[in-house]
Structures are given as structure tokens and as C-alpha cells.
Amino acid sequence: MKFLVVCCEGQTEEVFVEQILSPHFHKIGVFVTSNNMKGISSYKKMEEHIKGFCLANPTAFVTTMVDYYGLKKDVPGLAVAVGDIYQKSESIEIAVNADMHRLDNLHFNLIVHEFEGLLFSDVSAFEGIANKSELAQLRNEKGNQTPEHINGAYATAPSRRILKVLPKYIKTIDGIEVAKRIGLEKMAQECLHFGQWLKKIEDWAKGVA
């Protein structure tokens, strides 16, 4: 069985990895575990953490769930990233992988824009947590945009959009429940960058990457 480690920012992503990603990839012979970086105060801290983990676990495939939203200014490639959100994300990922000396077992990955963005893949999954009026408000927050395009400023981060409608929302409980209801397949369909990340992991698991 192959070994995949997902270095993530916090507890919500950690639970997502353990309860949603892990069962999915276990079916194709991959043992998945999370590595909680407990926040990212600086790029240097993140770099030291990820590089150390890669070098200590050379037989594991190491990837990340790091929020595009809120990246620190010292992240390689951020200041010069241009184009749409997908082009910017890819160029930053390439820059970070290069800065970490292209470790053979690392694929640095950004979540666009943050975990809560994935939950807008299917707003109806909030049913039971949100009433009809609140569901309508969440749909309005998403509008005609893809989940990976609904952030443009501090007030429009996906998590803040949800909290504006559902002040009692708890990401480690409600967020994970909604994510389970949506499922990875739907998320991949609605979130291009996220879907490409899952495909990279699947290709690695099948030995084609």
C-alpha cells in the first residue's frame, strides 16, 4: 500500500483528510494521513515543516492543503503571479516546489481559496444546518460563479460568506458534515483546481505520474 501525507493548515483540513480523503484513496491502495501544521505564521516556518517531513519520509508522497487566501507575502511567486486564479495558483505552486528544491516526493498544492470554498460546490448540502431562507442567501452568495471564484476581498472569503448567513456555523463540525454530503466527485466537478489535485494523487497512486 502506498503512503500519502497531506500537510494542512489546521484542524478542519486535518479532519477533512482523515474522514473524507482517506476513505476515498484507501479504495485504490493508498494509506492517507494528515499532518497538521497548526497555522502558517510565515513561509519560512511552512518551508521548514514541509521539507523536514519530506526528507524524514522519503517513501511517502507529500502534498499540501494550504489556503490561497491569506498567503503570506514572502511566499515564492506570490508577488509576480498574474492571470486568472488558476494561473496564479499554478505559478505559485511551481515557484514553491522549485524553492523547496523540487523534492521528488512533494507536490505543493493550494486550496482556492480556502476549505469553505469547496462547500459552495453544492449549497443544498447545507439543508438541516440552514433553513430555506438561509439556503437562498447562500445560493445568492455564490451567484453564477464557480466555488473557486467567489473570493476577492477580506469580506468575501468563503468562510465569511457562510458566517454572514450562519453565525453559528462551526467549520470542524458543520463544515465537515456538509463536505461529506457533497462528496469529492461533486467538488472535483465544480472546483477545477481541486479536481486537478485529486487527479494528480490518483495518477501517482496508479503509477502514471
Side-chain angles (χ1 to χ4, degrees):
M1 181 169 282
K2 294 189 173 183
F3 185 38
L4 172 71
V5 180
V6 183
C7 293
C8 46
E9 285 198 46
Q11 185 180 7
T12 305
E13 292 82 4
E14 182 179 23
V15 177
F16 178 81
V17 170
E18 299 293 345
Q19 296 190 13
I20 300 176
L21 281 186
S22 180
H24 173 79
F25 284 111
H26 189 271
K27 296 174 184 176
I28 58 173
V30 179
F31 177 78
V32 183
T33 188
S34 59
N35 179 256
N36 189 344
M37 294 187 284
K38 298 181 180 179
I40 298 173
S41 59
S42 68
Y43 172 70
K44 182 174 176 58
K45 175 186 175 183
M46 179 175 68
E47 177 191 22
E48 291 175 349
H49 185 107
I50 294 172
K51 285 178 68 175
F53 203 87
C54 286
L55 294 171
N57 299 273
T59 62
F61 182 58
V62 182
T63 187
T64 61
M65 286 186 73
V66 173
D67 294 350
Y68 177 92
Y69 172 73
L71 281 175
K72 303 304 179 185
K73 293 181 179 180
D74 58 346
V75 170
L78 177 61
V80 296
V82 295
D84 64 21
I85 187 61
Y86 297 128
Q87 293 168 321
K88 289 179 180 178
S89 297
E90 184 177 3
S91 66
I92 293 168
E93 290 169 350
I94 290 171
V96 171
N97 279 311
D99 188 68
M100 293 191 188
H101 306 292
R102 293 188 175 88
L103 293 163
D104 291 338
N105 61 333
L106 172 66
H107 171 65
F108 182 79
N109 170 72
L110 293 172
I111 295 296
V112 183
H113 283 270
E114 59 180 347
F115 167 76
E116 271 76 13
L118 301 173
L119 305 185
F120 282 92
S121 297
D122 185 359
V123 173
S124 65
F126 280 89
E127 187 173 351
I129 297 171
N131 60 36
K132 288 184 178 180
S133 174
E134 291 165 338
L135 285 172
Q137 291 179 63
L138 288 171
R139 290 190 181 95
N140 185 61
E141 288 292 331
K142 179 177 182 292
N144 296 321
Q145 306 171 93
T146 75
E148 292 177 321
H149 285 88
I150 63 172
N151 186 40
Y154 177 85
T156 58
S159 58
R160 289 189 173 83
R161 289 178 183 268
I162 293 173
L163 286 168
K164 183 170 68 174
V165 179
L166 302 171
K168 295 183 179 180
Y169 165 81
I170 303 174
K171 58 165 48 181
T172 54
I173 299 174
D174 301 324
I176 296 301
E177 176 60 27
V178 171
K180 287 180 178 178
R181 293 178 186 178
I182 295 172
L184 291 176
E185 183 176 354
K186 181 67 173 178
M187 289 179 185
Q189 290 173 356
E190 296 294 318
C191 304
L192 177 63
H193 193 78
F194 180 77
Q196 290 173 338
W197 178 54
L198 295 183
K199 179 68 164 50
K200 283 186 175 73
I201 297 173
E202 289 168 358
D203 286 347
W204 161 77
K206 295 173 183 175
V208 295

